[in-house]
């Protein structure tokens, strides 16, 4: 078993049942960023930490998550509307979503790791940054991205199982 399978088994409420993440999302770990893309059948992608990220691997406590200004862009000012989520900030693979400050004085930059339109950032992380570590594949997701229609099939639907 690989580390993502082990991690998913920990997320299960009942060991004999699949977790929500396992049932409804395709999982792809992006090793270059130590991040994970969870892709729903509706093409929306949740960006979260991979089990290989130092925060999870080394069990580092998260002190704060900052979606604030990255250059001239504030991820918290992202506004989308309508059925096709118009108005979302455009992202490429190297766009910064947030920075995470940890108890060991390390600061990690979290990237979008896929191209698309930013639908939402998880503002719950501002009040409760520990969700990033405690529930990374559910309530502790970092952001939701809608990839371009043409690329979503080839970029986000690779299954790790």
């Amino acid at each position: 078993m690989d580390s993502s399978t082990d991690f998913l088994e920990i997320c299960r409420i009942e060991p004999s049942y699949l977790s929500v993440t396992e049932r409804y999302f395709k999982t792809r770990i992006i090793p270059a960023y130590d991040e994970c893309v969870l892709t729903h059948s509706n093409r929306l992608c949740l960006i979260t930490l991979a089990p290989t990220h130092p925060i999870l691997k080394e069990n580092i406590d998260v002190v704060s998550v900052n979606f604030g200004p990255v250059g001239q862009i504030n991820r918290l000012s992202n506004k989308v509307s309508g059925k096709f989520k118009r108005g979302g900030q455009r992202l490429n693979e190297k766009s910064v979503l947030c920075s995470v400050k940890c108890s060991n004085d390390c600061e990690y930059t979290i990237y979008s790791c896929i191209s698309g339109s930013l639908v939402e950032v998880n503002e719950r992380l501002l009040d409760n940054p520990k969700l990033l570590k405690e529930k990374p594949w559910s309530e502790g997701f970092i952001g939701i991205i809608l990839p371009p229609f043409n690329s979503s099939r080839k970029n986000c639907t690779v299954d790790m199982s």
Side-chain angles (χ1 to χ4, degrees):
M1 270 194 301
D2 65 12
S3 60
S4 64
T5 305
D6 295 340
F7 194 75
L8 284 171
E9 288 179 0
I10 292 170
C11 296
R12 292 180 181 168
I13 296 170
E14 170 64 37
S16 61
Y17 298 114
L18 296 175
S19 71
V20 172
T21 305
E22 290 172 295
R23 282 184 286 175
Y24 299 110
F25 292 88
K26 299 283 184 184
T27 304
R28 184 170 65 130
I29 295 185
I30 313 295
Y33 298 102
D34 283 327
E35 293 176 28
C36 183
V37 178
L38 303 174
T39 305
H40 194 272
S41 60
N42 65 7
R43 298 184 326 145
L44 288 175
C45 297
L46 273 71
I47 307 300
T48 187
L49 298 180
T52 56
H53 195 282
I55 291 173
L56 299 179
K57 193 173 186 177
E58 299 170 18
N59 198 24
I60 301 170
D61 290 329
V62 177
V63 174
S64 66
V65 177
N66 183 11
F67 292 105
V70 178
Q72 296 180 358
I73 300 172
N74 187 340
R75 298 295 178 213
L76 293 172
S77 67
N78 186 59
K79 301 288 183 220
V80 297
S81 63
K83 181 177 177 182
F84 297 104
K85 308 300 179 207
R86 289 187 174 86
Q89 296 171 359
R90 294 281 177 212
L91 304 171
N92 63 42
E93 293 89 9
K94 295 180 182 179
S95 296
V96 175
L97 287 178
C98 67
S99 62
V100 178
K101 187 170 173 120
C102 297
S103 60
N104 63 355
D105 291 330
C106 284
E107 191 165 332
Y108 296 96
T109 301
I110 308 298
Y111 298 91
S112 66
C113 69
I114 62 171
S115 296
S117 178
L118 183 63
V119 174
E120 176 183 335
V121 292
N122 188 358
E123 293 184 23
R124 286 179 281 182
L125 296 176
L126 298 173
D127 295 328
N128 190 1
K130 293 179 182 185
L131 284 175
L132 191 62
K133 179 182 147 190
E134 294 170 358
K135 298 182 178 185
W137 287 24
S138 58
E139 296 173 47
F141 72 93
I142 297 159
I144 301 174
I145 298 173
L146 180 62
F149 185 72
N150 295 340
S151 67
S152 64
R153 292 187 182 170
K154 64 181 178 183
N155 287 339
C156 293
T157 58
V158 178
D159 192 357
M160 290 300 294
S161 51

